Every structure is written in structure tokens, then in C-alpha cells.
């Protein structure tokens, strides 16, 4: 399969027949749809439903093309009774500006919201210093700055702070830093003496630059939210992945959710609960150094099962690839890797494309370079989710109700 950037098309009739033979689909057993309102009641996802009504994936020479999204192409999990409530979507006081870290995602968000990205001039001097000038007035406006702090982390972080400073000096009423990927989030505590807690430092830097609010996706650990002295809206992208998995012809009885380490058990347990209370397995590992992991043993039964490994990010893929090898040794039929942030530091691509995984499912919070595409890779867009969240923040509406 070629790398895909969109949700799947309806399943074939053969897939439908195969799924019909199962007594329960991934979201059966009386569970509500992911974010469905009361009018939906208990909703069973059929295998032939389209989880995100976007255009078919277009591929030329193996190169996926991102589809245009708009207000009518909501993922199913955003189609709820709550969306019928009035949300002001025509404010001239809302401004979107994009940094240089992930312009494709920023453009998708703007398309969904029906807005144009604000004019901004960002360039670098010969010595590497960053220059920022806003190309339009933001006086009295509600400004949202779209900039993940992905590699190169320090470059993108500094750029974000300078953009925030430019908006503050241009008299913006409110400045929200939309950070789909929050770099330095793993440095959230001291594990040895004389270590820094860089996550707290970065939170202070963003705050002191002039941000009034932060909107972030799947921060590595919950305590990092408390490092900010300003409001933080935490967006959970797992629902996008869950919606995609629900379209697959996998019986819930064959499914097991796997945490690649003990620290991710809470995340995997929440993920499994939304997949019809699927059983949980845990991989116990011993880390001998940064970016170096050694799998020790498996807690749980995966024999003959379809294992779905869940993590917030994939960096060098050492943890998740060694975990997948162990799952195959223990008799797993197929292994899927799911994560929000595709950091993909070398040698991640070699490990992920080695044949251990049936599919590697990530989101576009971090741009994936074309050279890093491989056949098992599927990239899901979180633009609709972030766009809806931005509207709600701007309109002072509830954000948490999206995920209830």
C-alpha cells in the first residue's frame, strides 16, 4: 500500500461480508459513537461507512496529495448534536498566522475554517537570526499562531516566540499559541541529579513572550500542562486514529491494545476502552540510555490477536519496533503502530519499514518529509479537529465537550 494522507474509502463488498460474520465490530457492544450526541444513542460502526468524508486519495508516482477540507467534510466523530449549537463562525476579529514549521497543516486548518491565513513575512538573516513582520493589522484581534516545535526544535521554538512578540507589540487582544507538537515535553522531570526540566523552561518562555493561551495536541505527560501559568487547551488526537481503525475489518474479539512501555499504560487503557473495552497488554522494557531501549517481557496475551500499539510519538522507533518483534514472537497475527506525533529521527524509517508492522498510523501534527514515506505509512489529518477547537476557543464555547 502506498503512503496515504486521507481517510479510507468505503470497504469492498468482500470486506463487508467478512465483517458481517463477526458478532461485534470495533465499536459494538453498545458503546456510543466517539463524540456523538444523545440523538445517536448506541451506534455500531459498519465496515462500509466512511469515517471521514473526504475525497479519494490521489496518488501520482506514489506521491500522496492532501485533499482540500472544508466545513462540510467533518470526521464522523465531530458530527454531533453539540455542533448544532450556535458557534460564531464569521468573526472578522479572528486571525490565523502560520509559522514555517508546518505550513501544510496550517493551510488545511484555514480551509476548514473558511478563513485565509494572515499575511506574515518570516525570513532568516545570514547569521541565522529570525526576522518577523506581520503584513496586516491585528489590533484588537483574537490571534491564533500555528507552529509546532518539531525538528529543528530550537529554530521553530525561537520563531514561535518572535511571532508572539510581534503580535503582542502590534496590540493583538488575545494571542493563542497553537502548538500541535510540543517539543521538550519529554524533559518533564528529574530522573537523575543535576538535570534540567526543560518542559517547564519552554512553558515559561512561551508565556513570557506574550502568549495568553496555549492549544496543544497530546502532550507527552499530563503534568506538563501544569507548567504553564496560562490556560492550556489539550486536544486529544486519538479520536482521529480511532475513527480510522473503526473502518477496518477487524473483529473486536481479535483485538488487543498494547502499551509499548509501563509509562504509557494510562494512554493505552483509555484507547482500549474506546475500542469496545479491548484487552490490554503491556511491554516491560529497560532503558539503558536516551533513545536506547531493550524489551524485557510481555504482560498479557497476544497469541492469534491483532495487536494495536499505541504511543504519543515515534522518535527513533527503537521502543515500538522491539516491542513489535516481541509481539510477533508471542504469536500476534498482525501488529499496527499508532501514534500522534511522527518525529521519525534516524533510523526510524528503516525500523518501521522492516516488515514488522501491518500499518503505521500517524497524524500530521509534524510534517513528514516525502523521502520518509514508506508503503506501510498512513498519515491522518487533524486539521478539522484543530479548526473546530479554534472556533470554540474564539467563541468561548466548551472544548472538552468535543471529546465527551
Amino acid at each position: 500500500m502506498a503512503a496515504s494522507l486521507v481517510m479510507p474509502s468505503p470497504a469492498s463488498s468482500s470486506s463487508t461480508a467478512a465483517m458481517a460474520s463477526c458478532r461485534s465490530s470495533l465499536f459494538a457492544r453498545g458503546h456510543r459513537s466517539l463524540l456523538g450526541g444523545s440523538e445517536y444513542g448506541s451506534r455500531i460502526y459498519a465496515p462500509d461507512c466512511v469515517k471521514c468524508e473526504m475525497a479519494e486519495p490521489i496518488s501520482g508516482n506514489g506521491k500522496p496529495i492532501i485533499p482540500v477540507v472544508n466545513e462540510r467534510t467533518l470526521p464522523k466523530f465531530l458530527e454531533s448534536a453539540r455542533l448544532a449549537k450556535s458557534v460564531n463562525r464569521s468573526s472578522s476579529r479572528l486571525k490565523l498566522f502560520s509559522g514555517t514549521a508546518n505550513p501544510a497543516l496550517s493551510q488545511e486548518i484555514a480551509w476548514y475554517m473558511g478563513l485565509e491565513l494572515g499575511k506574515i513575512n518570516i525570513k532568516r538573516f545570514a547569521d541565522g537570526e529570525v526576522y518577523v513582520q506581520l503584513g496586516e493589522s491585528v489590533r484588537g484581534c483574537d490571534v491564533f499562531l500555528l507552529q509546532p516545535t518539531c525538528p529543528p526544535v530550537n529554530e521553530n521554538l525561537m520563531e514561535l516566540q518572535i511571532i508572539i512578540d510581534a503580535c503582542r507589540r502590534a496590540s493583538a487582544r488575545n494571542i493563542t499559541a497553537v502548538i500541535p507538537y510540543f517539543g521538550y515535553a519529554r524533559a518533564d522531570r528529574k530522573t537523575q541529579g543535576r538535570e534540567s526540566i526543560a518542559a517547564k523552561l519552554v512553558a515559561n518562555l512561551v508565556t513570557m513572550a506574550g502568549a495568553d493561551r496555549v492549544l496543544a495536541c497530546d502532550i507527552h505527560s499530563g503534568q506538563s500542562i501544569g507548567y504553564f501559568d496560562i490556560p492550556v487547551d489539550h486536544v486529544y488526537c486519538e479520536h482521529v486514529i480511532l475513527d480510522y481503525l473503526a473502518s477496518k475489518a477487524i473483529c473486536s474479539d481479535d483485538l488487543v491494545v498494547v502499551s509499548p512501555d509501563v509509562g504509557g499504560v494510562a494512554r493505552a487503557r483509555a484507547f482500549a476502552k474506546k475500542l469496545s473495552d479491548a484487552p490490554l497488554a503491556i511491554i516491560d522494557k529497560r532503558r539503558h540510555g536516551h533513545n536506547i531501549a531493550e524489551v524485557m517481557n510481555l504482560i498479557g496475551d497476544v497469541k492469534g490477536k491483532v495487536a494495536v500499539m499505541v504511543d504519543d510519538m515515534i522518535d527513533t522507533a527503537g521502543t515500538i519496533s522491539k516491542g513489535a518483534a516481541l509481539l510477533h514472537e508471542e504469536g500476534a497475527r498482525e501488529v499496527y503502530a499508532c501514534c500522534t506525533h511522527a518525529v521519525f529521527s534516524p533510523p526510524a524509517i528503516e525500523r518501521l519499514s522492516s516488515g514488522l508492522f501491518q500499518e503505521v498510523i500517524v497524524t500530521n501534527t509534524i510534517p513528514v518529509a516525502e523521502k520518509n514515506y514508506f508503503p506501510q505509512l498512513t498519515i491522518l489529518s487533524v486539521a478539522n479537529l484543530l479548526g473546530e477547537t479554534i472556533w470554540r476557543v474564539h467563541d468561548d464555547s466548551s472544548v472538552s465537550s468535543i471529546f465527551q
Side-chain angles (χ1 to χ4, degrees):
M1 56 181 276
S4 172
L5 288 175
V6 295
M7 308 303 274
S9 59
S12 63
S13 58
S14 61
S15 298
T16 305
M19 192 63 178
S21 65
C22 299
R23 293 181 178 270
S24 58
S25 66
L26 292 179
F27 283 84
R29 303 181 186 173
H31 281 265
R32 297 172 61 189
S33 61
L34 284 178
L35 302 180
S38 57
E39 69 177 279
Y40 287 96
S42 60
R43 178 176 177 180
I44 298 178
Y45 282 80
D48 58 347
C49 67
V50 182
K51 295 294 117 183
C52 184
E53 296 172 355
M54 292 183 176
E56 291 283 337
I58 304 172
S59 180
N61 297 324
K63 298 178 182 178
I65 299 176
I66 298 177
V68 176
V69 292
N70 55 51
E71 192 171 351
R72 292 184 184 81
T73 57
L74 282 171
K76 292 294 183 183
F77 72 86
L78 285 177
E79 291 181 353
S80 67
R82 297 181 182 89
L83 293 183
K85 296 182 179 179
S86 60
V87 176
N88 182 11
R89 300 176 187 271
S90 59
S91 175
S92 61
R93 290 294 182 180
L94 190 155
K95 300 280 188 179
L96 295 178
F97 289 94
S98 174
T100 61
N102 196 346
L105 175 59
S106 300
Q107 186 62 68
E108 284 190 70
I109 293 172
W111 282 334
Y112 168 78
M113 299 180 69
L115 301 174
E116 294 288 337
L117 288 174
K119 298 176 182 178
I120 185 171
N121 179 22
I122 303 174
K123 63 182 181 181
R124 280 164 174 76
F125 294 109
D127 62 354
E129 293 181 1
V130 180
Y131 171 84
V132 171
Q133 181 186 28
L134 302 180
E136 57 188 79
S137 174
V138 296
R139 185 178 296 275
C141 293
D142 199 0
V143 176
F144 290 81
L145 307 178
L146 310 169
Q147 175 82 339
T149 54
C150 53
V153 179
N154 298 331
E155 283 274 325
N156 290 328
L157 176 60
M158 192 64 194
E159 182 181 299
L160 172 63
Q161 294 179 76
I162 295 175
I163 299 174
I164 293 173
D165 182 71
C167 292
R168 179 176 62 86
R169 295 180 186 279
S171 302
R173 181 170 63 90
N174 283 312
I175 302 172
T176 300
V178 182
I179 311 175
Y181 171 70
F182 181 63
Y184 286 104
R186 286 173 284 182
D188 56 1
R189 64 193 184 279
K190 292 181 68 172
T191 58
Q192 302 177 50
R194 300 176 296 281
E195 283 187 333
S196 68
I197 304 179
K200 171 59 175 173
L201 174 61
V202 172
N204 288 342
L205 291 173
V206 173
T207 303
M208 294 305 295
D212 300 296
R213 178 183 293 270
V214 167
L215 194 161
C217 299
D218 287 332
I219 296 179
H220 183 66
S221 56
Q223 66 262 30
S224 296
I225 298 174
Y227 292 158
F228 289 91
D229 296 324
I230 54 177
V232 176
D233 290 301
H234 194 198
V235 177
Y236 299 95
C237 298
E238 64 180 17
H239 300 285
V240 176
I241 299 174
L242 285 163
D243 220 23
Y244 175 73
L245 286 175
S247 69
K248 296 209 166 275
I250 305 174
C251 295
S252 59
D253 292 338
D254 295 335
L255 192 70
V256 59
V257 175
V258 181
S259 173
D261 54 36
V262 176
V265 170
R267 181 186 304 107
R269 184 186 295 117
F271 196 92
K273 186 175 182 180
K274 293 180 175 68
L275 286 179
S276 301
D277 283 326
L280 182 67
I282 304 168
I283 295 175
D284 178 41
K285 70 177 183 182
R286 296 292 185 269
R287 189 180 293 276
H288 300 292
H290 297 298
N291 300 123
I292 301 174
E294 180 182 349
V295 172
M296 299 299 292
N297 50 51
L298 176 69
I299 304 171
D301 180 27
V302 298
K303 188 173 183 179
K305 301 281 189 177
V306 175
V308 178
M309 302 185 72
V310 180
D311 211 345
D312 63 317
M313 70 176 71
I314 297 177
D315 190 353
T316 62
T319 296
I320 204 162
S321 62
K322 289 183 179 179
L326 178 65
L327 293 175
H328 282 294
E329 291 174 7
E330 295 293 331
R333 191 169 79 240
E334 294 178 347
V335 178
Y336 289 80
C338 302
C339 82
T340 300
H341 309 300
V343 181
F344 288 175
S345 303
I349 303 304
E350 290 77 6
R351 289 169 171 171
L352 294 173
S353 60
S354 62
L356 290 170
F357 299 98
Q358 178 74 15
E359 191 171 0
V360 178
I361 305 166
V362 301
T363 72
N364 62 344
T365 57
I366 296 175
V368 179
E370 188 174 315
K371 65 180 181 180
N372 289 334
Y373 292 159
F374 54 94
Q376 296 86 4
L377 179 64
T378 298
I379 303 174
L380 308 179
S381 178
V382 295
N384 294 353
L385 178 59
L386 288 175
E388 182 64 28
T389 304
I390 290 172
W391 274 125
R392 287 168 180 256
V393 171
H394 172 67
D395 197 52
D396 295 327
S397 300
S398 172
V399 172
S400 62
S401 63
I402 297 177
F403 309 105
Q404 293 174 357

